[in-house]
Amino acid sequence: MDKFKRIGALMAIDTALINIAFFTALLIRFESYEKIPGQFMESFYSLAPIFTVIFIACFYFFGLYNRVWRYASIGELVAVISAVTVALTASISASYFLMAGGGLPLPRGVFALMWLLNIVVIGGSRLGWRLVREHAIKYDLPTGGKPVLIVGAGSSGVIVAKELMRHYKSAVNIVGFVDDDSTKQSLKILGIPILGDRSVIKNLVEKYGIQEIILAIPSAEGKVVRELVAICHETDAEIKILPGMYDLIEGNVTVNQIREVQVEDLLGREQVKVDMEGISKYLEGQVVLVTGGGGSIGSELCRQIASFSPKRLLILDNCENNLYDIELELKQNNPHLNLYPLVKDIRDKKAIEEIFKLHKPQVIFHAAAHKHVPLMENNPEEAIKNNVMGTYNVAQAADKYKAKKFVLISTDKAVNPTSVMGASKRVAEMFIQHLDITSETNFAAVRFGNVLASRGSVIPIFKRQIAEGGPVTVTHEEMVRYFMTIPEAVQLVIQTGAMAKGGEIFVLDMGEPVKIMDLAKSLIKLSGFEPGEDIEIVITGMRPGEKLYEELLTAEEGVNATTHKRIFVAKPNGLNKELIEEVNYNISLGNLPGNQYETEMLLQQFIPEFRIIENKLTS
């Protein structure tokens, strides 16, 4: 039935119901048809058409014909009451003025009964349709389908159950719900029992032969999801999950959103919310430069920046393959984007100078860096060339050509660094903080931890090792790390650019740290194998420069809140201006460390306690 036919049918039904309510009000007021005075019957016949038109008009303007009534709830009932009240008030006013001698053509009690009866019949017709639909869903489902258990008896679990009933009917048999809320135990929802808390999952699978478990707890923390996945993996049932709340729109779930559990679900992170208006203001119509634009973070920065309509997007990377890939993707998805790919190296000061002279970028996201800890331990002088001198080259050009904002992508490894990579990034932070003091450009840095699926991160390595049949290598049983997805990290980085006033080191809320050993076991199980049986886990020992756990702040820095609950700013601590200026001068002359000893001496000037660990050559 198309829209207009549906509205016409509803109006016809309402016309009948309004007149039934009107006549029933007369019957109740005078107890029987024979007792209704003739003058009032004449008023009924003359006023019924007028009242009907007024009521239908009010129903239309209150949106009663633009609602999906099979999902009717309290909101719809309130709309009915409001529409009936306004319609009756308008009808009484109309009848008063139409009355020849003034006064009301009917007793007041009739109007009061009309108000009540219209609410009952109009509201009842709508809510009754919902009850009919739910009754049909409940009793139209044979019990011979695949046995399914739903974990979570909240609103999301209920919606999942309804969707399964509507779309799978004979193919699915929902055995019951499981929920840790003690007040829900032994109750029923949609006629489906709540069978207990998480502790009974294993027994329920065995008792009812459950083949599929659906986790319908989209707002749960990562720890809870990991625990539930671990319990479910002790059974033979297939595990699926409802995406996070940020993947759903106003609670409208469709069955194709129920999918296999992924490693991102084990983090259970809250949706990142950004100030879209603030971001659009500082990026729209601007020339934006992303260094390291072909890398994991840099390429995602380009994707998201493209949506804010920059005047021009400059993508700089020294790897032409990476640059080519992101250029093709952006051109395909953003055909009107003014895009400039630049195969350049940030260590080439002259090339960087030419880019700023020609394009004059106004916003710079500096993501280019050497980031692999073991490689930089073996090649420490290269970390200085790229992470320190390269940052200096880009930052100095931003200052010289009066860019508005410069955001350095830093790392939690810069805090109390034990690796050359981390120490070099800490020095880079100091350089831009120092430069901010005298520059018109707002310089800021953003620290965060590991990102899932970035090149060289632990997840892709684990996946490759599992695909090869193992073993999965973990450096230490107690190793813990913070994790973010690449898109959410980049959203927060872009948000910090809008917040930056100059000199800040922003720290992203990384959530709860995750034990790498637990992550390895979970990933093996998600791949359909059993840790220690199908896929071995081997402890290889900590690599040079690694920490058991990462920090986001030094003891001296502390932290201040910002207007965004997921972003904090480190309190500034003292900078050695003379040392920074001296090293800047030496870098400008090309005086860089050429070996491990010289690199260590340079870094110790900024971080006195830093030491490069010996015996770094990999086997």
Side-chain angles (χ1 to χ4, degrees):
M1 185 182 296
D2 63 32
K3 178 180 178 182
F4 295 106
K5 287 182 179 178
R6 174 181 171 276
I7 292 175
L10 284 173
M11 286 182 172
I13 293 170
D14 286 346
T15 297
L17 293 176
I18 292 164
N19 285 280
I20 289 171
F22 190 179
F23 185 68
T24 303
L26 277 172
L27 287 177
I28 294 174
R29 169 64 178 80
F30 294 102
E31 298 181 356
S32 68
Y33 177 74
E34 292 76 14
K35 293 182 180 180
I36 301 175
Q39 68 197 65
F40 292 144
M41 282 304 301
E42 289 178 8
S43 296
F44 169 76
Y45 289 125
S46 60
L47 292 176
I50 299 171
F51 283 12
T52 301
V53 171
I54 293 174
F55 269 74
I56 294 296
C58 286
F59 290 177
Y60 181 83
F61 285 112
F62 273 84
L64 266 59
Y65 301 119
N66 293 321
R67 295 173 182 265
V68 182
W69 291 100
R70 63 177 171 178
Y71 299 118
S73 61
I74 297 299
E76 280 68 33
L77 182 58
V78 170
V80 169
I81 294 172
S82 301
V84 169
T85 302
V86 171
L88 185 63
T89 302
S91 297
I92 292 172
S93 301
S95 65
Y96 178 82
F97 287 111
L98 289 171
M99 191 68 182
L104 291 175
L106 293 168
R108 292 184 180 87
V110 171
F111 290 111
L113 287 168
M114 276 184 66
W115 178 81
L116 180 61
L117 290 171
N118 270 287
I119 290 173
V120 171
V121 297
I122 300 298
S125 67
R126 268 64 171 180
L127 295 176
W129 176 241
R130 172 178 173 173
L131 294 175
V132 168
R133 291 283 302 179
E134 292 190 353
H135 180 83
I137 290 169
K138 177 180 173 182
Y139 290 102
D140 192 34
L141 179 63
T143 59
K146 176 172 65 175
V148 172
L149 180 68
I150 299 175
V151 178
S155 56
S156 297
V158 173
I159 295 172
V160 168
K162 288 181 179 179
E163 285 292 302
L164 290 175
M165 290 175 178
R166 287 191 183 98
H167 295 282
Y168 284 93
K169 297 184 178 179
S170 60
V172 169
N173 173 25
I174 303 175
V175 173
F177 292 97
V178 163
D179 199 291
D180 286 341
D181 187 345
S182 59
T183 62
K184 295 180 180 178
Q185 303 307 315
S186 301
L187 299 178
K188 286 187 176 183
I189 300 176
L190 303 175
I192 303 168
I194 299 174
L195 300 171
D197 58 20
R198 71 174 76 178
S199 65
V200 302
I201 290 176
K202 190 174 180 180
N203 291 335
L204 292 174
V205 171
E206 294 175 357
K207 181 177 179 181
Y208 295 102
I210 289 168
Q211 297 176 23
E212 184 174 286
I213 302 172
I214 299 175
L215 305 182
I217 43 172
S219 59
E221 296 179 352
K223 181 180 179 182
V224 174
V225 175
R226 291 194 295 273
E227 290 171 353
L228 286 168
V229 168
I231 292 171
C232 295
H233 271 137
E234 294 178 4
T235 73
D236 295 328
E238 184 181 3
I239 310 167
K240 292 191 176 179
I241 193 167
L242 191 68
M245 274 299 184
Y246 49 91
D247 290 330
L248 311 180
I249 303 174
E250 296 179 354
N252 296 327
V253 183
T254 60
V255 289
N256 60 4
Q257 287 174 302
I258 301 170
R259 53 166 171 75
E260 302 292 334
V261 179
Q262 299 170 359
V263 67
E264 290 85 351
D265 299 314
L266 305 181
L267 300 180
R269 298 181 58 80
E270 185 182 354
Q271 176 192 12
V272 172
K273 296 177 182 176
V274 295
D275 175 13
M276 301 299 289
E277 183 180 355
I279 288 176
S280 62
K281 283 181 180 177
Y282 94 95
L283 292 178
E284 186 177 359
Q286 303 295 302
V287 179
V288 182
L289 167 65
V290 178
T291 70
S296 305
I297 298 296
S299 60
E300 181 63 22
L301 273 165
C302 293
R303 292 184 192 99
Q304 295 194 25
I305 291 168
S307 66
F308 293 105
S309 303
K311 178 180 179 181
R312 190 178 309 137
L313 177 57
L314 313 175
I315 310 177
L316 185 151
D317 203 292
N318 66 350
C319 177
E320 63 172 335
N321 292 333
N322 291 347
L323 189 59
Y324 182 69
D325 290 342
I326 187 62
E327 180 192 10
L328 284 182
E329 179 187 332
L330 289 173
K331 283 184 175 179
Q332 181 178 352
N333 297 331
N334 305 272
H336 302 296
L337 179 65
N338 191 358
L339 184 65
Y340 275 76
L342 301 163
V343 184
K344 304 292 181 184
D345 194 318
I346 60 173
R347 293 170 294 188
D348 187 342
K349 184 176 181 179
K350 184 177 179 181
I352 296 299
E353 179 89 12
E354 285 298 317
I355 290 169
F356 274 81
K357 183 178 179 180
L358 177 62
H359 296 284
K360 293 183 174 56
Q362 296 151 299
V363 180
I364 298 98
F365 291 95
H366 182 51
H370 286 327
K371 65 177 184 177
H372 294 288
V373 170
L375 285 177
M376 292 304 99
E377 292 300 299
N378 289 331
N379 304 275
E381 65 280 1
E382 296 303 316
I384 302 301
K385 289 178 186 176
N386 206 57
N387 296 355
V388 179
M389 183 184 74
T391 298
Y392 171 76
N393 289 341
V394 181
Q396 187 184 52
D399 171 47
K400 181 177 178 179
Y401 289 93
K402 295 180 169 48
K404 295 179 181 179
K405 290 180 183 287
F406 178 104
V407 179
L408 167 68
I409 310 301
S410 190
T411 170
D412 54 5
K413 293 175 177 62
V415 182
N416 300 321
T418 58
S419 66
V420 172
M421 192 281 283
S424 66
K425 295 294 281 186
R426 178 65 188 119
V427 174
E429 289 179 353
M430 293 178 182
F431 273 31
I432 67 156
Q433 282 188 301
H434 172 70
L435 194 56
D436 182 77
I437 296 171
T438 56
S439 177
E440 295 180 17
T441 303
N442 288 334
F443 288 89
V446 187
R447 287 181 194 155
F448 54 89
N450 301 274
V451 287
L452 291 171
S454 65
R455 295 189 185 104
S457 71
V458 69
I459 302 300
I461 293 173
F462 283 171
K463 286 182 176 179
R464 186 182 70 247
Q465 291 173 337
I466 293 168
E468 293 171 351
V472 170
T473 56
V474 177
T475 57
H476 195 286
E477 290 185 354
E478 299 302 320
M479 183 80 69
V480 294
R481 288 291 183 269
Y482 294 97
F483 285 98
M484 266 189 173
T485 63
I486 292 176
E488 71 171 333
V490 167
Q491 284 181 49
L492 290 174
V493 167
I494 295 175
Q495 178 73 72
T496 61
M499 299 165 64
K501 304 300 181 186
E504 303 99 335
I505 295 180
F506 291 101
V507 181
L508 304 188
D509 171 17
M510 300 294 295
E512 291 184 0
V514 178
K515 207 171 182 178
I516 300 299
M517 177 62 79
D518 293 343
L519 199 59
K521 290 178 179 178
S522 296
L523 201 54
I524 291 171
K525 290 179 178 179
L526 290 178
S527 302
F529 302 105
E530 191 62 33
E533 296 180 11
D534 304 313
I535 302 289
E536 292 293 330
I537 299 178
V538 175
I539 306 298
T540 60
M542 290 176 63
R543 298 173 295 182
E546 277 192 327
K547 296 179 180 181
L548 275 180
Y549 59 93
E550 300 292 359
E551 305 157 275
L552 293 171
L553 294 164
T554 66
E556 294 79 18
E557 285 175 329
V559 68
N560 285 325
T562 69
T563 54
H564 194 291
K565 68 177 183 179
R566 298 281 297 279
I567 301 174
F568 301 89
V569 60
K571 298 175 183 176
N573 52 2
L575 297 172
N576 189 331
K577 298 178 182 178
E578 293 76 16
L579 173 61
I580 292 173
E581 289 171 357
E582 178 187 344
V583 173
N584 277 346
Y585 178 72
N586 287 330
I587 286 177
S588 68
L589 297 176
N591 296 329
L592 293 164
N595 54 44
Q596 174 184 312
Y597 175 76
E598 292 177 2
T599 302
E600 186 174 64
M601 291 300 101
L602 173 65
L603 293 174
Q604 283 179 358
Q605 293 181 75
F606 294 93
I607 311 164
E609 66 278 9
F610 179 74
R611 298 290 183 275
I612 297 180
I613 300 173
E614 297 293 337
N615 189 28
K616 298 184 300 301
L617 292 178
T618 57
S619 56

